[in-house]
Amino acid sequence: FEDIGELLAVPFVQSALIACAVLGLVAGVLAPLIVSRGMSFAVHGTAELSFTGGAAALLTGVAVQYGAVVGAVVAAVVFGVLGLRQRERDAVIGVVLAFGLGLGVLMLSLYEGRASNKFGLLTGSVVAIDTANIAVLSVVAVVVIGTLAVLYRPLLFASTDPDVAIARGVPVRALSLVFAVLIGLTTALVVPIVGAILVLTVMITPGAAAARVTANPLTATVLAVVFAETALLGGILLSLAPGLPISGYVAAIAFLIYVGCRLVGGRRRAV
């Protein structure tokens, strides 16, 4: 505990805690909608293209966070344009994901810089979080939450019953594309922190856990934010003393939360 107390006074640790707090808010707000729309695989595919963008940024000398954002947004637009129909989406994502992952691995192999930079794109690193990351994260957080505040009701309607939403004149196709871009922006910010491998931990697990204990959209959103914050901030605190990547700790905490919610939900149904 003494070591953790000393590490909490280090500037990069404080930056990481701020970044994770903001990220937990954004990811928690999006997670229930992602789960209800069945877009878990889309998040995974977007993460791989965010990884590709980050690898391209490393290779060209650009800041990783900017490359990750560009890669994720391009992926989201491609998925939205080519795979708006549910039956087409998985195939499109699989094709683009495989191409992006292969391209990203190739660019990392060509990068001659520090190996820790390569590894960080896959597993995340709190050391990589600096003032520039927080600035980008804050801007994206404002954009995502502001957009959701305006479009939340039609997005929720289109997520729960898209056929009726279409019949009522809701622009489901446009909303799907906008939502895909929001996922892309948020995913790009998750990659430098927990890595491309475990993006699903932050973007999906909180929403899936909340869905096990409540059917109320507002309650599910609040719970998802709490779960995301707990996993991210708890993961950082647990990883400080051993000095290991936070991804494993974040994944473990999120998984335990999900298992606990399943047990609670199963007991309620039994009663």
Side-chain angles (χ1 to χ4, degrees):
F1 288 103
E2 292 180 0
D3 292 339
I4 293 177
E6 293 177 0
L7 289 169
L8 287 175
V10 178
F12 81 81
V13 175
Q14 295 173 356
S15 296
L17 289 171
I18 294 172
C20 284
V22 176
L23 180 59
L25 174 62
V26 179
V29 170
L30 286 174
L33 288 171
I34 294 172
V35 172
S36 66
R37 295 174 70 89
M39 295 185 69
S40 299
F41 190 40
V43 171
H44 179 60
T46 303
E48 302 299 348
L49 270 294
S50 177
F51 158 74
T52 303
L58 277 178
L59 188 60
T60 57
V62 180
V64 173
Q65 63 268 24
Y66 298 124
V69 168
V70 171
V73 171
V74 169
V77 172
V78 170
F79 295 156
V81 172
L82 298 182
L84 286 174
R85 295 182 180 179
Q86 181 68 40
R87 63 187 181 188
E88 298 175 350
R89 187 184 300 153
D90 285 353
V92 171
I93 293 171
V95 171
V96 178
L97 185 154
F99 169 72
L101 184 59
L103 188 61
V105 171
L106 174 61
M107 287 188 289
L108 277 188
S109 66
L110 295 174
Y111 176 64
E112 298 179 353
R114 293 185 303 169
S116 60
N117 289 334
K118 301 180 182 182
F119 193 61
L121 283 175
L122 295 174
T123 62
S125 174
V126 294
V127 180
I129 302 172
D130 54 18
T131 305
N133 290 98
I134 294 178
V136 174
L137 179 60
S138 301
V139 171
V140 173
V142 171
V143 171
V144 172
I145 294 177
T147 304
L148 281 178
V150 175
L151 300 178
Y152 184 77
R153 288 179 64 86
L155 263 176
L156 181 62
F157 189 13
S159 300
T160 55
D161 199 337
D163 293 332
V164 175
I166 292 173
R168 293 289 297 273
V170 176
V172 174
R173 292 176 63 87
L175 287 174
S176 296
L177 185 56
V178 170
F179 189 66
V181 173
L182 295 182
I183 291 175
L185 290 172
T186 307
T187 301
L189 302 176
V190 177
V191 169
I193 298 174
V194 301
I197 296 175
L198 292 178
V199 165
L200 296 181
T201 296
V202 178
M203 298 292 291
I204 304 299
T205 306
R212 304 299 303 185
V213 295
T214 182
N216 183 288
L218 179 59
T219 304
T221 300
V222 173
L223 287 176
V225 170
V226 172
F227 295 158
E229 296 283 7
T230 301
L232 284 165
L233 297 178
I236 284 185
L237 294 177
L238 290 176
S239 68
L240 285 178
L244 297 173
I246 73 169
S247 53
Y249 295 97
V250 173
I253 294 172
F255 180 72
L256 290 175
I257 291 173
Y258 177 74
V259 171
C261 289
R262 281 192 67 95
L263 293 175
V264 172
R267 185 169 298 178
R268 286 183 176 178
R269 292 185 182 91
V271 174

